[in-house]
Every structure is written in structure tokens, then in C-alpha cells.
Amino acid sequence: MTSSELWSRATADRYDAEDAEMFSAAVLGPTLAFLAELAGEGRALEFAIGTGRVGVPLRERGVPVVGIELSEHMAAVLRRKIDEDTLPVVIGDMATTVVPGGFTLVYLVYNTITNLLTQDEQVECFRNAARHLEPGGRFVIELGVPPLRFLPPGQVAVPFDVSERHLGFDTFDLVEQILVSHHFTRDGEGEGDDGRYRRDNSRHRYAWPAELDLMARIAGLELERRVADWDGAPFTQDSAKHISVWRKPA
């Protein structure tokens, strides 16, 4: 078991609705095209597959997908969408859980490597990816660049969403390299809206691109490409996130 916080049944049941934008064709289209090209004729393994936002449509594109997921509740939501024979899911953590067979692609999207709250566990995640990859296979991570440039001296919080039904901001522990993501969500609508907000938070260990490259080297992987988004825009000093691809030498 890793230090990742476990998603509850209530969180899993509302996850898809609250992240509806991430299920849109505009977001998923480029993501699926990018991953399918890297998978080629081989199999793909998704670490922290969750409710299957990416894994299910990638399987529907014809890519054989296997998932690893820590939360049984998240996996249960996925199972409502697709059967076990079509998309197998193993319950376990992404740093140590091993599934049979080799893969041409292992991928970890939507900042999820930060669920591992220690550097050692993040290194083990890279090692686990390398363990599953066939020679020449790729490990892909989607991760935000820590927004520390927005922190003037004495400030510890950075907002990332201020909208009608949701307020979100991150607070940072710069010594421990931990951020806490805070969410205030208004659940009611219309006549049932009493003006109350539900509060949730989660802890994450942020990491820099260069730090991930060193983790990859420890695992025997080589950086092949880094871009700013799934469409392949160049990664620059102003990029808010990156898609990084490391290759296992043939």
C-alpha cells in the first residue's frame, strides 16, 4: 500500500459528473489519438485508471487496455461501463502492483502521479512502468507544472478555478513539496439550491519535469519527447502542463 489517499464511494459516484469537461470530445480526442499512436499494435496499461475516462474509449478504439486502480469504488464505476473480459482491472497501487504480460505503452494521466506522496514512491512508479514495458515501449505522464511563479513572498495559495458552482485553490508546503487541493462545490440547482457549498480536499506531491527525468533514468528509461498538450504544442517556460514520453531502450 502506498501513501495515496483512497477515493471513497461518494467521491467515485460523483466523479464523472464533476469532471464532465474532461470527458468532452475536445479533451479526449487528442488524448486518445496520442496514446493510440504510441500503443501501435501492442497493449496499453493505465496506472490509476479510475472510472475509465481514458481507458474505456481507448479500448473502444481497438487498443487492448489493462488497468491498475487503488480504489475499489472507482473501479466499480468503471465496471458499469465495460466488462472485465474486455478491460481487465487489477486492484492495487501503481507503484508496486504487477500484472501479467508485456506492454508497448504504460500511461498515467491527469496529474495522478502526484497522488504518490513521497519521492521514493514516485520513483517506484517509474520502475513499475519500466517493469511492464517491452523493449522500445513508452511511459507517458500528463502533469501540471507547479505554479510557484504565482506565489509572492508570504503567500501559500494559488486559485485554479473560480466559477459559478466551484471554487478551487491549491496551498503549498514548499519544504515538503506537498500541495493540498481545496474544492468548494455548490451541489444544488434551481429550487433545491440552498446556497451551501461542499468542501473537499486532497494532498499531492508535486514534481518538476527535470525531477521526473531523473526518476526515469533511475528506472532505465530515456526521455523521448515533451510537449505542452495532447495536440503536441511545444513545451516552453510558460507551459502550464506537460505530456512527457520516456522510452525503454530496445
Side-chain angles (χ1 to χ4, degrees):
M1 179 65 67
T2 72
S3 61
S4 296
E5 297 176 346
L6 202 58
W7 293 71
S8 67
R9 182 187 300 275
T11 302
D13 285 343
R14 61 175 178 256
Y15 180 83
D16 287 8
E18 289 192 346
D19 261 353
E21 182 181 351
M22 297 301 295
F23 287 79
S24 69
V27 172
L28 276 179
T31 305
L32 298 174
F34 192 106
L35 295 174
E37 180 180 0
L38 289 180
E41 299 299 317
R43 299 196 304 159
L45 173 62
E46 180 170 356
F47 284 173
I49 194 170
T51 66
R53 178 183 69 91
V54 174
V56 171
L58 187 61
R59 180 65 186 90
E60 291 171 347
R61 281 195 171 209
V63 178
V65 177
V66 178
I68 293 175
E69 172 55 43
L70 184 62
S71 169
E72 294 185 17
H73 301 303
M74 295 288 277
V77 175
L78 177 149
R79 194 52 66 219
R80 299 171 197 163
K81 306 172 184 178
I82 194 166
D83 64 82
E84 175 72 17
D85 289 339
T86 306
L87 200 167
V89 175
V90 177
I91 301 300
D93 70 84
M94 57 186 160
T96 63
T97 300
V98 177
V99 302
F103 297 84
T104 58
L105 173 66
V106 178
Y107 63 95
L108 180 54
V109 298
Y110 205 17
N111 303 320
T112 311
I113 194 171
T114 66
N115 289 4
L116 300 171
L117 299 178
T118 70
Q119 186 182 69
D120 285 345
E121 288 173 349
Q122 291 178 354
V123 168
E124 288 306 311
C125 180
F126 273 83
R127 284 179 166 153
N128 201 29
R131 182 181 297 124
H132 286 90
L133 284 172
E134 297 175 348
R138 275 92 170 188
F139 182 34
V140 176
I141 284 182
E142 175 189 22
L143 183 60
V145 176
L148 301 190
R149 294 167 68 185
F150 293 99
L151 284 177
Q155 181 174 312
V156 298
V158 174
F160 59 85
D161 183 34
V162 180
S163 56
E164 183 178 355
R165 310 201 67 81
H166 178 255
L167 302 175
F169 61 92
D170 293 330
T171 54
F172 292 84
D173 181 333
L174 302 182
V175 174
E176 297 298 329
Q177 213 162 304
I178 295 290
L179 72 84
V180 180
S181 187
H182 304 265
H183 301 265
F184 293 84
T185 307
R186 195 165 180 170
D187 286 328
E189 291 190 38
E191 295 182 1
D193 187 354
D194 60 4
R196 296 183 182 181
Y197 282 78
R198 170 172 43 83
R199 179 177 181 177
D200 301 290
N201 61 70
S202 58
R203 293 187 302 150
H204 305 267
R205 182 186 186 274
Y206 63 86
W208 301 94
E211 184 181 7
L212 298 184
D213 290 343
L214 184 55
M215 294 180 189
R217 288 180 60 189
I218 292 171
L221 304 176
E222 302 169 348
L223 180 66
E224 181 176 77
R225 179 166 40 141
R226 173 167 291 129
V227 292
D229 57 34
W230 295 107
D231 287 313
F235 179 74
T236 72
Q237 64 179 1
D238 295 319
S239 298
K241 73 173 187 178
H242 61 97
I243 315 296
S244 295
V245 181
W246 297 273
R247 184 174 181 270
K248 183 173 184 176

